[in-house]
Amino acid sequence: MREMVAVLDFGSQYAQLIARRIRELGVYCEIVEHDITAKEISRISPKALVLSGGPASVLDEHHPEMDPDILTLNIPVLGICYGMQHITQVLQGTIEKGRGGEYGHATIDIDNSKGFFADLGHSMDVWMSHGDQVIGLPRDFALLAHTSDCPIAAMGDLKRQIYGVQFHPEVVHTPRGHELLKNFLYSICKCSGGWSMAGFVEDSVSTIRSKVGDANVICGLSGGVDSAVVAALINKAIGDQMTAIFVDNGLLRAGEVEEIEHIFTNEYPLNLDIVDARQMFLNALKGITEPELKRKAIGRTFIDVFYNEADRIGGATFLAQGTLYPDVIESRSAKGGPSATIKSHHNVGGLPPDLKFELIEPLKELFKDEVRLLGKELGLPENLVNRQPFPGPGLAVRILGEVTAENLKILQQADLRVKEELRNYPGYSDIWQSFAVLLPVKTVGVMGDERTYANVVALRIVSSMDGMTADWVKVPYEYLARISSRIINEVKGVNRVVYDISSKPPSTIEWE
């Protein structure tokens, strides 16, 4: 069984970051629901458990709780922020409501520099974000660190290997947090490491071959990084038993069909089938304006296309798609609800309950940056591996309101100008996504001394590590001015361009 660490998610915005940091240290990590039972934990046999932070207070009546028997399993445990307070509560220590909370930079004084804090000296800069605090240690726990405002900043039961920290070692604002996590993983939990993309390829190829046998697989190829890596991975496992189906749904970026055909015919040949289904998708989207209904309509139409193609190639048992870990996380709601469903991803939420295919989703435990590493490991072209993410529903979720042939044409041309101009921007490689959004409003303008009443385009340009959080990019004014000028002057039907300066959270990257 593969060595793994489980993160119990209490609704923290940093739960995914904890998992990524642990993986970066060479240990596979998965996020599980906070109310997983001790028996379920025993079945998956993790090397360690990490209890995440969360927005709730353990002093509230209906706060998220874990199964207390988890702390009797003789598995090393690390509680972070809320996780530390919950451990304290379960083990009958004392917690009090903070007078004003502690947020931002702090320096902890380390009281025990062995084991957990080994090689970290006598003090350490950390990032705090808490209102409540532990003021009385549970039985058999020792004080490991404190600050002037937080009497118990870290604690540990060295015999049972249960630890808690009030700060956040997973964020970059705790500069040596990765060293602390490394101490926990390797010194305390005795992890052996070895999680790598090469190992992932080997395991996945073996799993896919075993699951598929001599059956046929169809793979939805969107042209984005995720589906391309899935196609390459399955191709490595079963070769021509897989047919990669690229659906021209009319919701793609300008020139997308030609580009994908070239890559997967010449640069990285696959058993490729290109299907013209533009009218099918326009018909399915007719009259729909609500984002979730759009996603589900698109998901259903993709499945209809895949059914038709499966019949054409003589039958297929499996459908492969590029679902990622963030897709799964954002599309689910934790039981009891500390984490809300953000939106349905068409890979996750748009599938019918009576799907005739069995799904293959080999990337559903990976983050986006890991998928790029996997693509390089598989030998995919650099220009494809480093492509910006593109949503499965395509431009349909960048047209606010009804999707029509006219709106698609306007957005494709506006988006092309964004792409062309930003390629010359020196910071382009640091951009996670850059695109245009067509808004459902019209404004008055003046063009050629005549009044116009035309569409508004919004620019969305963000930086991110994994798509779970993002910030808008401070693109120099001259680039924004050129993009705006070109869109207004060259794209018929647009007379105003605005710039989206919101971060995720509270906004999402896509507008729908």
Side-chain angles (χ1 to χ4, degrees):
M1 183 178 289
R2 180 169 59 187
E3 177 182 78
M4 65 91 74
V5 170
V7 175
L8 274 64
D9 181 11
F10 289 91
S12 171
Q13 62 178 314
Y14 297 135
Q16 296 82 20
L17 193 53
I18 297 169
R20 287 189 64 250
R21 291 289 179 261
I22 291 172
R23 292 187 189 187
E24 287 167 3
L25 288 166
V27 179
Y28 178 66
C29 183
E30 282 189 8
I31 299 170
V32 298
E33 304 291 357
H34 70 284
D35 55 359
I36 188 171
T37 67
K39 286 184 178 179
E40 290 169 326
I41 290 288
S42 296
R43 280 199 291 270
I44 62 177
S45 300
K47 289 285 286 187
L49 301 174
V50 179
L51 312 187
S52 81
S57 167
V58 297
L59 300 176
D60 293 340
E61 186 177 354
H62 299 295
H63 63 275
E65 297 182 77
M66 68 174 171
D67 180 349
D69 289 342
I70 285 172
L71 297 180
T72 68
L73 294 176
N74 295 318
I75 299 171
V77 176
L78 172 61
I80 296 175
C81 198
Y82 179 93
M84 170 179 165
Q85 295 163 10
H86 193 35
I87 289 171
T88 302
Q89 183 186 55
V90 170
L91 299 179
Q92 300 183 332
T94 308
I95 304 136
E96 72 172 10
K97 183 75 72 175
R99 289 182 292 274
E102 190 177 16
Y103 303 98
H105 171 266
T107 299
I108 62 169
D109 294 313
I110 297 173
D111 297 286
N112 185 335
S113 58
K114 297 179 181 178
F116 190 59
F117 281 103
D119 301 320
L120 290 170
H122 299 293
S123 66
M124 180 176 165
D125 291 335
V126 301
W127 187 260
M128 294 281 194
S129 181
H130 65 99
D132 304 338
Q133 62 182 12
V134 177
I135 60 168
L137 291 166
R139 185 179 176 181
D140 298 326
F141 274 72
L143 175 67
L144 302 183
H146 69 278
T147 74
S148 56
D149 294 318
C150 185
I152 303 174
M155 65 182 195
D157 180 332
L158 308 188
K159 184 176 180 181
R160 288 190 290 172
Q161 296 183 323
I162 300 175
Y163 296 85
V165 294
Q166 190 57 73
F167 55 91
H168 289 271
E170 72 274 21
V171 302
V172 295
H173 308 295
T174 300
R176 303 186 72 185
H178 67 289
E179 296 175 57
L180 187 65
L181 290 173
K182 187 175 182 180
N183 282 346
F184 177 68
L185 294 172
Y186 289 95
S187 298
I188 306 298
C189 306
K190 308 301 181 186
C191 291
S192 58
W195 162 250
S196 67
M197 283 303 108
F200 181 85
V201 170
E202 186 177 340
D203 289 347
S204 297
V205 165
S206 175
T207 300
I208 291 165
R209 286 174 179 167
S210 174
K211 183 173 184 176
V212 171
D214 59 0
N216 289 327
V217 177
I218 57 175
C219 177
L221 182 65
S222 70
V225 179
D226 308 334
S227 63
V229 171
V230 167
L233 184 61
I234 295 177
N235 181 67
K236 183 177 179 67
I238 59 172
D240 283 350
Q241 283 176 249
M242 179 201 74
T243 301
I245 299 176
F246 180 70
V247 181
D248 180 4
N249 56 13
L251 309 174
L252 305 171
R253 291 166 287 198
E256 190 103 33
V257 177
E258 295 77 13
E259 185 176 359
I260 294 306
E261 183 175 18
H262 172 78
I263 290 173
F264 290 107
T265 301
N266 301 302
E267 296 184 47
Y268 199 94
L270 293 176
N271 183 18
L272 178 65
D273 182 16
I274 298 177
V275 180
D276 184 351
R278 288 173 291 182
Q279 196 57 53
M280 278 183 68
F281 280 84
L282 275 177
N283 292 342
L285 290 165
K286 187 174 179 61
I288 298 177
T289 58
E290 204 279 323
E292 280 294 287
L293 294 180
K294 280 186 192 178
R295 289 175 179 274
K296 292 184 183 301
I298 290 166
R300 288 193 300 269
T301 308
F302 268 116
I303 294 302
D304 289 341
V305 173
F306 294 150
Y307 284 154
N308 292 339
E309 291 306 298
D311 290 341
R312 189 188 63 78
I313 65 174
T317 306
F318 296 92
L319 169 65
Q321 56 179 10
T323 305
L324 302 193
Y325 207 18
D327 296 338
V328 175
I329 293 165
E330 286 195 342
S331 295
R332 74 184 185 194
S333 177
K335 182 180 176 183
S339 300
T341 299
I342 308 301
K343 58 189 174 185
S344 296
H345 288 260
H346 98 284
N347 284 354
V348 181
L351 299 178
D354 58 346
L355 184 68
K356 297 175 184 177
F357 299 113
E358 187 173 348
L359 286 178
I360 299 179
E361 298 174 300
L363 310 185
K364 69 179 179 180
E365 56 189 35
L366 298 185
F367 291 99
K368 176 68 78 170
D369 53 335
E370 293 173 320
V371 173
R372 294 191 195 281
L373 292 174
L374 178 57
K376 292 176 182 177
E377 183 72 29
L378 290 166
L380 284 169
E382 194 78 16
N383 61 325
L384 179 62
V385 170
N386 291 324
R387 288 186 100 194
Q388 292 185 4
F390 188 63
L395 298 181
V397 292
R398 294 177 181 173
I399 294 174
L400 276 60
E402 185 177 4
V403 178
T404 65
E406 180 185 2
N407 285 343
L408 279 167
K409 184 177 180 181
I410 290 172
L411 184 57
Q412 283 176 332
Q413 292 305 308
D415 194 70
L416 180 61
R417 272 68 181 175
V418 176
K419 179 179 178 180
E420 290 174 346
E421 290 300 322
L422 284 180
R423 278 179 173 172
N424 301 318
Y425 172 49
Y428 182 72
S429 60
D430 297 324
I431 292 174
W432 174 263
Q433 274 176 281
S434 53
F435 54 88
V437 180
L438 185 62
L439 305 187
V441 294
K442 292 189 176 184
T443 64
V444 174
V446 178
M447 301 177 74
D449 293 327
E450 292 186 0
R451 178 187 184 276
T452 62
Y453 190 58
N455 294 288
V456 180
V457 164
L459 305 181
R460 184 70 161 142
I461 306 171
V462 299
S463 60
S464 178
M465 285 294 294
D466 54 20
M468 297 305 299
T469 62
D471 197 10
W472 63 282
V473 178
K474 285 71 176 175
V475 177
Y477 292 148
E478 57 266 30
Y479 289 93
L480 296 177
R482 278 200 295 272
I483 293 170
S484 176
S485 178
R486 286 198 61 193
I487 290 174
I488 290 171
N489 285 288
E490 299 174 17
V491 181
K492 186 177 180 181
V494 179
N495 69 359
R496 193 178 301 269
V497 174
V498 297
Y499 191 37
D500 180 349
I501 58 170
S502 50
S503 300
K504 176 184 180 180
S507 304
T508 54
I509 294 176
E510 299 289 344
W511 279 47
E512 290 191 343

